[in-house]
Amino acid sequence: LVVDEKGKFREANFQRAMAILQQKTDNTNENMLDSNHAHNKKQKQTKGDSKKSSPTTNLFRIVKLIMTRSLNPVIIFSFSKKDCEKYAVSLGKESYNDSTEQDLISQVYQNALEGLSEDDRKLPQVEALLPLLKRGIGVHHGGLLTILKEIVEILFGEGLIKVLFATETFAIGINMPAKTVVFTNTRKWDGKDFRWITSGEYIQMSGRAGRRGKDDRGIVIQMMEDSVDPSITKDILYGAPDSLNSSYHIKYNMLLNMLRVEDVDPEYLLRASFHQFQQEDEAPALEQQALELEAQAQAIDISILAENMDLLEDYYEMTKQLELTQERIMKIVRRPQHILPFLAPGRLLYISIDGITYGWGALASRTRSKPISGGDGGVASPPLDTISEHVLVVLLPCCANVPNERQEKDGDDVEDKIRQALQWKGSNTTCRPVNTKLDSEENIEMRLFTVGLENVLKISAVRVLIPPDVHSAEARLSVRRSIKEVQKRFTPDLPLLDNEKDMGVKGEEYDKLSARLIPLMERLSQHKLKDLIVAEEDRSAVLEAYSKRKIVLEQARVIRQEAKSCQTLVMKDQLKMMKKVLRQLGHVDANGVIQTKGRTACEINTADELVVVEMMFSGAFNDISVEQCVALLSCMTYDEVNKKGDESSSELKSFLQSPFLKLQEAARTVARAQIACKLEVDEDQFVDKYNPGMMEAVFAWCKGAKFADVQKLTTTYEGTTIRTLRRLEELLRQLAVASKAVGNHELEAKFEKGSELIKRDIVFCSSLYL
């Protein structure tokens, strides 16, 4: 139990769970790094172990535990539509409903589908869902048919579904509580990268656990495939709810509708927006923060060089250049081909973590991390060069940070014992570096820190003996004694490995940096500041004080500039550039008076109004049939990512390919106009967002094809197809109104006919809630 019924985060329990995960990970890494002795046998054993601990198997055990202890109904959240269906099917022949409940579910299901045609009732998704529902297992995600989602919601609300696999959309907009909630993963794909879920997302989903009037508490279970830092989990569990920030932005449709009304200023709407209020509300606090920082900077005493500030500034800049050059050299040295041969257990390394220097420590072990997995099927994991590929476990001297909750005597002896048993593990959040002037020897501990190659600042030529098991206090203390003995023998600092002679570092980049390093060191050694302040310790203290003052003043300058920007009108520059775009494309004239193209765009908000209007006025819809028009417009309502790019258009049939090329041409015209007006738009990305993947399916639907046959022409879920067609019907209605507004009755009739063609059968069946 990580969080108890009082809402207290039990860090010791969490650390114990993470220690078990870490132990399994370490065992796996040891097997991978082992010798080739009995390789085939060990390989089979590893495969067997991974199969036993697969997420599907673990989930089956969790569901079984939930049902045994009567903790159902349970909602199992997964961030992938494919995983929801895979997990539901993986439960095999498990059944959680009795015969009476099964008969009732069949009756509800058949009654709900009465309005559908015989062909629609035979759709694969319709036939596949009923056997699962009868066993008390449900699936709910955006890819399901709308009517099937409503059936699942009704059955779950009536308690006929005991186990429901759903995406996060089930937690938004509908009140469907359960007794237990399970997270199959705490990382999700956000369209760019895998990230941890936010505290707001966690609160929204975990809030489904616990039914008012039925349960005295709700239970939330998190499945974790690998170890995670306690701070991340605390941020998820205890982080502040997602802040309420305005997402207000200007659209061309809104701008044109304001311009068509006399004496209406778009800037007035910006000034009256919540977004502007939030910006201005931050300014006074930022100004006060800047004043406090400036006062803090003036309080830093460097009066000893008040008359030689230029000299100090020059020395400071040269020192920074030297540090930067040394860091760039160290980046080359830290490359795996250079550093790995010297990373044997016992090697003394100088470590810094997130800018905090811990000093010399002894390397205990080295492993290689595995790539991050998860998310929806078909989405590639982030490349390894974005994370530390090699993981080092280093014994570092530190002092434990004592959290407030430890000072409270709550009598939790078990938790204290667990915490003491895990005192071998350290992190920059739980341990701070040693201060030799303030910390007594009994407060200094040796703990195991997990770091990457980027945390290594220096590599010593010295190695010490590392015990086989470094988790015990005695073993860590012996390493501490060895490091202290080495530091006594080598003063003032430990001998380092020579980059060129010992490590064999070479190359054009390294030679350039080395050639730059030597003159910098010579200039610093002959600097006039050394005559004014002879003692190295005093000079370092003055330089540190000056550096601190400079950093604080820079922070104050940035904050003051941010406060100034908060008081200006938000999006003012963007508004000016958007007006230029409208003038360039002919929607308004030089005086800002709206033209025919602009009046047409005022009626469209379902798709990109500029591109649609550009197509209308370029005659793209004039010479093609109604079915081709509807198929072409589907590119503007189908929002799946176009992974094939230009190849997708080449796969189209000729009678669809030609209209789509006209769409791309119109999109390029609009994109280039925005770029010319200095708006940040990527032309290729703007054009590629129009995906022709649904054109053939929509064309067939307009020709009267059955939904089952139409679905065979796509690679999407049935729910995605229906959502695309419904948005398409709305767009066609808006285009019919726009055509009527400009007097083009031929196009008006064409769009109205297109709306009639797609509005039929299962796509537009009535809701069960009506």
Side-chain angles (χ1 to χ4, degrees):
L1 192 65
V2 177
V3 180
D4 61 17
E5 61 276 4
K6 296 179 182 178
K8 179 182 176 183
F9 182 77
R10 293 182 175 270
E11 187 171 343
N13 287 3
F14 178 80
Q15 290 283 11
R16 181 171 60 177
M18 289 300 101
I20 294 171
L21 280 175
Q22 185 65 41
Q23 186 177 1
K24 290 183 179 180
T25 304
D26 293 342
N27 292 340
T28 304
N29 289 331
E30 287 175 10
N31 291 338
M32 291 171 65
L33 297 172
D34 208 349
S35 63
N36 290 329
H37 178 66
H39 176 71
N40 293 333
K41 183 178 178 181
K42 287 190 177 183
Q43 192 175 27
K44 291 178 182 178
Q45 184 178 355
T46 305
K47 287 181 180 178
D49 291 343
S50 64
K51 184 177 180 181
K52 289 178 183 176
S53 60
S54 67
T56 304
T57 307
N58 291 334
L59 183 61
F60 177 78
R61 292 172 181 169
I62 290 173
V63 173
K64 191 174 182 180
L65 176 68
I66 289 170
M67 301 306 296
T68 303
R69 298 192 178 184
S70 300
L71 300 177
N72 60 289
V74 55
I75 303 174
I76 302 173
F77 284 111
S78 179
F79 301 113
S80 164
K81 298 173 187 175
K82 291 182 180 178
D83 285 348
C84 285
E85 297 184 355
K86 180 184 73 175
Y87 291 142
V89 174
S90 70
L91 291 182
K93 298 181 179 180
E94 294 290 321
S95 180
Y96 308 118
N97 285 340
D98 56 33
S99 58
T100 304
E101 290 174 322
Q102 290 180 1
D103 293 339
L104 184 56
I105 288 171
S106 297
Q107 185 178 352
V108 171
Y109 198 78
Q110 298 303 328
N111 291 341
L113 299 179
E114 276 184 356
L116 300 182
S117 65
E118 192 66 30
D119 292 325
D120 289 339
R121 292 181 198 176
K122 294 179 181 179
L123 287 172
Q125 199 175 79
V126 175
E127 293 182 338
L129 186 61
L130 181 57
L132 284 174
L133 294 177
K134 291 175 70 175
R135 287 157 46 202
I137 302 168
V139 178
H140 189 285
H141 58 69
L144 284 179
L145 293 166
T146 306
I147 193 169
L148 296 184
K149 286 195 291 183
E150 292 178 352
I151 292 172
V152 170
E153 291 164 10
I154 291 170
L155 293 176
F156 186 81
E158 295 298 325
L160 296 173
I161 294 179
K162 307 301 189 298
V163 180
L164 177 64
F165 296 89
T167 53
E168 60 185 316
T169 53
F170 189 76
I172 301 170
I174 52 177
N175 182 26
M176 293 286 171
K179 189 167 187 177
T180 307
V181 165
V182 177
F183 289 86
T184 60
N185 204 341
T186 47
R187 292 174 69 87
K188 63 178 285 189
W189 176 260
D190 61 3
K192 296 180 180 179
D193 202 352
F194 287 106
R195 64 167 175 82
W196 299 105
I197 60 174
T198 65
S199 59
E201 292 169 336
Y202 175 80
I203 291 169
Q204 186 69 37
M205 287 182 277
S206 63
R208 304 294 102 181
R211 298 163 296 177
R212 180 174 294 179
K214 292 183 178 181
D215 305 319
D216 57 348
R217 62 176 180 174
I219 299 172
V220 182
I221 301 172
Q222 293 184 13
M223 294 176 62
M224 294 184 178
E225 295 183 8
D226 208 342
S227 59
V228 57
D229 193 272
S231 61
I232 294 174
T233 303
K234 276 189 176 180
D235 287 340
I236 294 174
L237 296 176
Y238 283 136
D242 293 340
S243 56
L244 181 63
N245 292 320
S246 171
S247 58
Y248 177 76
H249 63 281
I250 311 170
K251 292 187 69 176
Y252 290 103
N253 174 274
M254 180 194 73
L255 182 56
L256 286 166
N257 275 292
M258 285 191 290
L259 290 173
R260 74 191 296 186
V261 181
E262 191 176 355
D263 297 331
V264 173
D265 184 9
E267 289 189 8
Y268 171 77
L269 192 61
L270 292 180
R271 282 192 292 270
S273 67
F274 180 57
H275 188 45
Q276 179 70 31
F277 169 77
Q278 282 189 312
Q279 288 283 94
E280 293 178 352
D281 191 49
E282 294 176 2
L286 291 172
E287 287 282 1
Q288 182 61 34
Q289 189 178 351
L291 288 172
E292 292 173 359
L293 286 172
E294 287 170 353
Q296 182 182 337
Q298 294 302 323
I300 300 173
D301 183 24
I302 50 173
S303 57
I304 188 173
L305 287 174
E307 298 178 359
N308 297 280
M309 293 301 293
D310 293 340
L311 205 62
L312 181 57
E313 171 70 19
D314 182 56
Y315 189 83
Y316 171 79
E317 291 297 334
M318 288 176 61
T319 304
K320 285 296 175 186
Q321 286 293 325
L322 179 64
E323 291 176 356
L324 180 62
T325 305
Q326 289 174 332
E327 176 57 29
R328 291 174 65 184
I329 289 175
M330 200 61 203
K331 281 185 179 179
I332 299 173
V333 173
R334 286 195 295 256
R335 289 174 182 170
Q337 64 267 31
H338 298 143
I339 195 173
L340 290 185
F342 299 91
L343 293 182
R347 176 73 63 186
L348 297 187
L349 304 173
Y350 199 82
I351 300 296
S352 175
I353 305 173
D354 293 339
I356 303 172
T357 302
Y358 283 82
W360 289 106
L363 179 64
S365 63
R366 170 174 65 87
T367 56
R368 190 165 184 159
S369 66
K370 53 186 178 182
I372 298 172
S373 61
D376 207 344
V379 178
S381 297
L384 271 175
D385 57 6
T386 61
I387 57 175
S388 180
E389 186 176 354
H390 298 275
V391 179
L392 310 180
V393 180
V394 184
L395 270 169
L396 290 172
C398 60
C399 293
N401 290 326
V402 182
N404 293 332
E405 62 188 46
R406 276 194 210 175
Q407 296 174 354
E408 300 174 3
K409 296 182 179 179
D410 54 2
D412 198 344
D413 295 334
V414 176
E415 192 166 335
D416 289 339
K417 290 178 181 177
I418 295 171
R419 188 182 290 116
Q420 291 173 6
L422 292 170
Q423 283 186 350
W424 52 268
K425 190 174 183 180
S427 70
N428 59 333
T429 57
T430 58
C431 303
R432 60 175 177 82
V434 175
N435 187 329
T436 53
K437 295 180 180 179
L438 300 177
D439 295 323
S440 59
E441 188 64 31
E442 57 267 17
N443 291 332
I444 300 175
E445 306 177 52
M446 292 294 286
R447 293 201 181 190
L448 288 167
F449 286 71
T450 302
V451 299
L453 296 180
E454 68 276 5
N455 300 114
V456 179
L457 299 185
K458 299 178 186 177
I459 309 165
S460 173
V462 181
R463 286 175 59 188
V464 297
L465 182 65
I466 295 291
D469 182 15
V470 290
H471 294 89
S472 65
E474 294 79 9
R476 289 182 280 121
L477 184 60
S478 68
V479 175
R480 166 80 176 147
R481 293 196 195 100
S482 300
I483 294 176
K484 287 180 66 177
E485 183 63 30
V486 169
Q487 288 175 324
K488 282 182 182 178
R489 292 185 183 182
F490 301 99
T491 52
D493 203 358
L494 303 187
L496 305 179
L497 288 173
D498 188 274
N499 296 339
E500 300 174 23
K501 295 179 181 178
D502 298 326
M503 304 183 70
V505 181
K506 55 185 178 180
E508 184 179 350
E509 183 184 2
Y510 176 80
D511 293 340
K512 285 182 180 179
L513 291 171
S514 296
R516 186 181 178 187
L517 183 66
I518 297 172
L520 276 173
M521 295 177 71
E522 290 178 353
R523 287 175 61 190
L524 272 176
S525 63
Q526 300 170 6
H527 201 276
K528 292 181 180 179
L529 187 71
K530 290 198 170 185
D531 297 331
L532 296 174
I533 307 176
V534 180
E536 177 71 27
E537 187 175 345
D538 295 340
R539 192 165 57 249
S540 298
V542 171
L543 195 65
E544 184 179 350
Y546 180 77
S547 174
K548 188 176 180 181
R549 175 190 274 194
K550 198 171 180 68
I551 291 170
V552 173
L553 285 173
E554 177 62 21
Q555 290 175 347
R557 186 191 68 80
V558 171
I559 291 173
R560 193 175 290 281
Q561 188 175 358
E562 186 180 347
K564 188 177 180 181
S565 65
C566 287
Q567 294 169 338
T568 59
L569 184 64
V570 294
M571 297 183 283
K572 187 176 181 179
D573 294 336
Q574 184 186 356
L575 181 63
K576 288 181 179 179
M577 290 184 282
M578 290 178 73
K579 287 181 177 179
K580 287 182 181 178
V581 172
L582 293 176
R583 283 197 296 270
Q584 185 168 330
L585 292 175
H587 291 262
V588 295
D589 63 13
N591 297 320
V593 178
I594 193 165
Q595 303 298 299
T596 306
K597 288 179 76 173
R599 287 198 300 273
T600 309
C602 285
E603 306 296 336
I604 301 165
N605 56 33
T606 303
D608 191 308
E609 53 273 25
L610 297 187
V611 177
V612 174
V613 171
E614 200 66 32
M615 292 169 64
M616 286 180 65
F617 281 79
S618 66
F621 299 116
N622 294 344
D623 302 326
I624 57 177
S625 66
V626 175
E627 292 83 359
Q628 287 174 300
C629 279
V630 178
L632 179 60
L633 289 170
S634 70
C635 302
M636 312 197 78
T637 59
Y638 181 49
D639 52 10
E640 295 289 319
V641 178
N642 186 3
K643 297 179 181 179
K644 295 183 179 179
D646 294 336
E647 295 179 7
S648 56
S649 61
S650 61
E651 296 176 359
L652 291 172
K653 294 177 181 178
S654 58
F655 62 88
L656 294 176
Q657 187 176 20
S658 180
F660 180 70
L661 292 176
K662 290 182 180 180
L663 167 60
Q664 287 186 317
E665 184 181 345
R668 289 194 185 279
T669 301
V670 173
R672 287 166 183 167
Q674 294 184 77
I675 293 169
C677 296
K678 298 182 180 179
L679 281 168
E680 294 184 4
V681 175
D682 185 292
E683 182 180 336
D684 293 333
Q685 190 175 353
F686 185 83
V687 174
D688 287 342
K689 74 179 181 180
Y690 299 107
N691 189 349
M694 196 68 75
M695 286 185 72
E696 290 188 20
V698 172
F699 185 84
W701 180 254
C702 290
K703 285 291 187 181
K706 299 176 182 178
F707 189 81
D709 297 330
V710 168
Q711 196 59 30
K712 293 175 183 177
L713 298 173
T714 72
T715 57
T716 63
Y717 286 96
E718 289 86 341
T720 304
T721 304
I722 288 181
R723 187 165 57 250
T724 301
L725 289 170
R726 286 190 172 184
R727 288 185 60 201
L728 179 56
E729 193 273 335
E730 184 181 358
L731 176 59
L732 286 166
R733 281 190 285 108
Q734 291 176 359
L735 284 169
V737 173
S739 300
K740 184 179 180 180
V742 296
N744 193 333
H745 300 296
E746 185 181 346
L747 277 182
E748 180 190 356
K750 185 175 284 190
F751 292 135
E752 286 178 348
K753 179 63 175 176
S755 177
E756 293 173 6
L757 288 176
I758 65 174
K759 201 170 182 179
R760 61 181 175 87
D761 296 345
I762 194 171
V763 176
F764 287 89
C765 66
S766 58
S767 171
L768 298 177
Y769 293 121
L770 298 178

